[in-house]
Amino acid sequence: MPSSTPLVAFVIGFGPNIGDSVASLLKEHGYAVAVGSRNPDADKVRKEGYFPVKVEATRQASISAAFAAVNAELGPPNVVVYNPAIHQEPTDLSDPSTLPLDTFNDVVAIGSNVFVAIQEALKGFRSGKHENHPKAFIVTGNILPADNTLSPFYFSLDIQKVIESRIVGQFARANEKTGLRFVYATLVGDDGGIPPYDLFLKSGDLHAQVYWELINSKNGLWDYRFTLDGKKLANYVSL
């Protein structure tokens, strides 16, 4: 599809598993890719073909500044992947109140700052500069918002992902007829639950391929759950 505006992606939470694989696949498909992390190795990232961006996902101003940097260097992104996460167990696994308050504040901030990132992304999505391009905002999720066991072990991730999923769901429903995609994408085990951790740590390429399919699909569930074979989980009740 011809356009004078380049394809641009911004991966927030660039790391060695999902972030790296998603950025690599998007680059292969012709995207100019910005990658955001707390302390990017700028020289290394540039040699890999990406635009490095310093971003602290717990700070609203940092997210806004990161988008400004991407817009100035590459243009507004038509694809944003929100991938940061914090997991820290409470000191006493039987008592969620023993999660350090600083950690609790950080996970709440990372979750709620999806709202800030979406606001920034929408400026580009709605500008008309990507009229002929897909426009997608994908959050790397997990199954905890749909899990009623409420394990204190996952308390920090649970809080973060519940917030993120509700925000994504609101924007997805508000944009059902606009062509803008908002997806909370979750890798699950074959039974629909939490996948084996060792396999999750090797799931970067799988996430990248599924995200690529979501970016280029015109519609579908915003609460998208997929299994280790890359297929949509069958017969689940969406959030």
Side-chain angles (χ1 to χ4, degrees):
M1 293 177 289
S3 173
S4 59
T5 303
L7 293 160
V8 178
F10 185 17
V11 179
I12 304 171
F14 179 66
N17 185 27
I18 298 171
D20 181 62
S21 293
V22 171
S24 178
L25 185 63
L26 287 167
K27 185 179 69 171
E28 287 177 17
H29 284 285
Y31 276 75
V33 182
V35 294
S37 58
R38 285 180 175 176
N39 296 294
D41 184 337
D43 290 340
K44 180 176 182 291
V45 169
R46 288 185 185 278
K47 287 178 182 177
E48 292 171 348
Y50 309 125
F51 174 56
V53 183
K54 185 176 178 64
V55 59
E56 173 50 74
T58 61
R59 294 176 51 227
Q60 295 179 359
S62 180
I63 291 176
S64 295
F67 271 90
V70 175
N71 292 345
E73 180 75 14
L74 304 178
N78 60 293
V79 169
V80 177
V81 175
Y82 194 86
N83 188 53
I86 292 176
H87 171 54
Q88 180 175 335
E89 307 92 61
T91 305
D92 178 349
L93 289 180
S94 68
D95 183 1
S97 75
T98 62
L99 183 73
L101 182 58
D102 287 348
T103 301
F104 179 83
N105 289 336
D106 283 347
V107 299
V108 170
I110 288 179
S112 63
N113 283 346
V114 167
F115 180 75
V116 180
I118 288 176
Q119 283 189 320
E120 295 293 342
L122 282 172
K123 296 174 184 177
F125 289 2
R126 292 171 173 169
S127 68
K129 294 181 179 180
H130 289 294
E131 183 177 359
N132 297 319
H133 296 157
K135 292 166 281 290
F137 191 105
I138 299 175
V139 171
T140 300
N142 62 37
I143 198 60
L144 292 172
D147 184 356
N148 293 322
T149 59
L150 298 177
S151 167
F153 179 81
Y154 291 114
F155 180 51
S156 60
L157 268 180
D158 184 21
I159 294 299
Q160 178 186 329
K161 295 305 177 181
V162 167
I163 295 171
E164 291 175 355
S165 65
R166 299 302 291 183
I167 293 173
V168 172
Q170 288 281 351
F171 278 94
R173 291 187 176 107
N175 286 277
E176 286 178 340
K177 298 180 180 180
T178 67
L180 310 182
R181 289 296 312 274
F182 295 89
V183 185
Y184 179 84
T186 303
L187 173 64
V188 296
D190 292 340
D191 61 354
I194 297 172
Y197 188 60
D198 62 326
L199 297 181
F200 173 79
L201 291 176
K202 303 173 184 177
S203 66
D205 290 346
L206 171 62
H207 275 85
Q209 187 57 52
V210 170
Y211 286 14
W212 179 247
E213 294 168 2
L214 291 171
I215 289 164
N216 292 286
S217 61
K218 294 185 181 299
N219 49 54
L221 290 173
W222 68 266
D223 170 19
Y224 188 85
R225 305 177 199 176
F226 60 100
T227 50
L228 291 160
D229 58 3
K231 297 179 180 178
K232 176 180 171 292
L233 179 69
N235 303 321
Y236 68 91
V237 179
S238 179
L239 294 171

